Amino acid sequence: MGKGGSLSDSVLKKIILSYTYVAIWIFLSFTVIVYNKFILDKKMYDWPFPISLTMIHMGFCASLAFLLIRVFKLVEPVSMSRDLYLSSVVPIGALYSLSLWLSNSAYIYLSVSFIQMLKALMPVAVYSIGVLLKKEGFKTETMVNMLSISFGVGIAAYGEAKFDAWGVALQLGAVAFEATRLVLIQILLTSKGISLNPITSLYYVAPCCFVFLLVPWIFVEFPILKATSSFHFDFVIFGTNSFCAFALNLAVFLLVGKTSALTMNVAGVVKDWLLIAFSWSVIKDTVTPINLFGYGLAFIGVAYYNHSKLQALKAKEAQKKAAQADEESGKLLEERENDGLGKKNESED
């Protein structure tokens, strides 16, 4: 009875911790998105400088990651040569900087709810680029599902009350660059046995992003900021915003490390619906029935895609375990045969 009770307590504690990690990640992800919208939107804080905001985030995150890894030594760095950094991390950093720049720029033109709907295209982009770069195998069933997601997002876009073509182009560009980055991580890093958690990833990638963003910033935003003499850097606003962005990366580390990537995907769906509800009820963005219908179709497609990936992963794990079991049974049989042969030789002697 007592043993069963302690087991129940252990399971309950694990469930509570898992839900806590999920809640923290949803809260921080939600906060960063709404905070970025607040800073960049001309009707709110009115600081429409997405490159500058992204550079502030990257500078802050790189500094904190350096402290955690090199000063406090709380996270182990990854052994990486200069050639590997230049050939693998630099391209990933370039794509990440472009993705963040364009996605932050989209907040100036589009509502939070509509941006979340457009982000449903991420699996489509990842799969398509994976097929093009021969990282994924082409499957008709998967492609049909990708088309259904695209169709749903298309309906959502058709029903958008404040449709802005430039904003949509920026967000789609951000999705394309982010999807390419995710595929290249698999090709350039994971395939070489290098695994970066969110902290080591920031340590290596954030400085690279900062340098890449510096070039367009000098020509696009610096002249305007220089001419805007009335602007004073608000350490409270930008400091808390950057800290939330860094805390989000820590939350990703906790969520994936203590639960699973699938849990993060499910939590992401919950976060998207919460953001749509918040955008409609608090920010007063217009969300039409056609928006919701289209996003609902896309949501079903994304859910089915995640389910298929999970089933494939389970099948792969089962196959791996079966192979290990066969190998172990083969060794055991070989040992028994050797023992039998040894005993036979002894009896003959």
Side-chain angles (χ1 to χ4, degrees):
M1 181 78 177
K3 192 175 180 181
S6 64
L7 183 64
S8 299
D9 290 343
S10 174
V11 171
L12 184 64
K13 186 180 178 182
K14 191 175 180 181
I15 291 169
I16 290 170
L17 278 173
S18 294
Y19 276 107
T20 303
Y21 294 135
V22 167
I24 290 170
W25 180 81
I26 288 175
F27 172 76
L28 288 169
S29 183
F30 185 98
T31 302
V32 168
I33 289 168
V34 174
Y35 211 156
N36 286 353
K37 173 69 175 175
F38 167 76
I39 290 171
L40 295 164
D41 198 300
K42 293 177 182 178
K43 295 175 184 175
M44 298 181 194
Y45 189 74
D46 191 20
W47 200 70
F49 299 102
I51 305 175
S52 302
L53 183 64
T54 309
M55 286 176 69
I56 291 167
H57 287 173
M58 290 297 102
F60 185 88
C61 289
S63 302
L64 279 187
F66 178 84
L67 288 173
L68 287 173
I69 292 173
R70 291 297 180 188
V71 180
F72 300 113
K73 301 187 185 299
L74 295 173
V75 181
E76 283 291 320
V78 176
S79 179
M80 190 176 295
S81 66
R82 183 185 173 187
D83 288 343
L84 183 63
Y85 184 84
L86 291 173
S87 64
S88 300
V89 176
V90 169
I92 290 166
L95 290 166
Y96 194 38
S97 61
L98 287 167
S99 170
L100 291 171
W101 172 15
L102 297 184
S103 62
N104 280 334
S105 299
Y107 285 111
I108 300 170
Y109 305 95
L110 303 175
S111 67
V112 170
S113 57
F114 187 43
I115 285 174
Q116 300 316 119
M117 294 175 189
L118 290 173
K119 283 181 180 178
L121 288 169
M122 184 59 75
V124 180
V126 171
Y127 178 73
S128 301
I129 291 165
V131 170
L132 285 172
L133 297 179
K134 297 182 179 178
K135 188 64 186 173
E136 291 269 4
F138 179 84
K139 293 179 182 176
T140 306
E141 184 186 352
T142 307
M143 186 53 73
V144 169
N145 187 32
M146 296 298 110
L147 290 172
S148 72
I149 295 170
S150 305
F151 181 66
V153 173
I155 292 173
Y158 176 77
E160 176 60 19
K162 296 178 181 177
F163 184 88
D164 186 289
W166 178 239
V168 171
L170 288 170
Q171 186 55 48
L172 292 180
V175 167
F177 284 124
E178 178 63 9
T180 308
R181 182 184 78 90
L182 292 173
V183 175
L184 281 187
I185 285 173
Q186 294 290 318
I187 295 170
L188 299 177
L189 294 177
T190 310
S191 62
K192 296 174 184 176
I194 297 168
S195 178
L196 298 178
N197 65 48
I199 307 305
T200 51
S201 180
L202 284 174
Y203 175 75
Y204 290 109
V205 175
C208 184
C209 286
F210 187 92
V211 172
F212 274 113
L213 290 166
L214 192 61
V215 178
W217 179 78
I218 290 170
F219 295 101
V220 178
E221 293 185 1
F222 176 67
I224 302 170
L225 285 167
K226 193 177 178 182
T228 312
S229 56
S230 59
F231 173 73
H232 298 286
F233 190 86
D234 192 326
F235 284 96
V236 175
I237 291 287
F238 294 105
T240 52
N241 178 246
S242 298
F243 182 77
C244 285
F246 183 78
L248 177 60
N249 281 279
L250 282 177
V252 170
F253 185 40
L254 279 172
L255 185 62
V256 176
K258 302 295 182 181
T259 57
S260 67
L262 182 70
T263 303
M264 187 174 162
N265 283 339
V266 174
V269 170
V270 175
K271 178 209 69 179
D272 289 344
W273 282 107
L274 285 173
L275 277 166
I276 290 169
F278 181 86
S279 177
W280 170 72
S281 61
V282 179
I283 303 177
K284 302 300 179 185
D285 287 331
T286 304
V287 179
T288 67
I290 298 175
N291 271 150
L292 293 176
F293 175 72
Y295 183 63
L297 287 177
F299 164 73
I300 292 168
V302 172
Y304 179 75
Y305 176 72
N306 286 334
H307 173 73
S308 301
K309 293 285 279 186
L310 177 63
Q311 294 303 312
L313 192 64
K314 281 183 177 178
K316 193 175 180 181
E317 285 294 318
Q319 193 177 9
K320 190 177 178 182
K321 285 180 181 178
Q324 285 176 345
D326 289 343
E327 189 178 344
E328 286 173 8
S329 62
K331 284 180 180 178
L332 190 63
L333 186 64
E334 189 179 343
E335 285 173 7
R336 283 177 179 174
E337 286 176 354
N338 289 336
D339 287 344
L341 189 62
K343 286 177 181 177
K344 186 180 177 183
N345 291 335
E346 284 175 13
S347 63
E348 285 177 357
D349 291 340

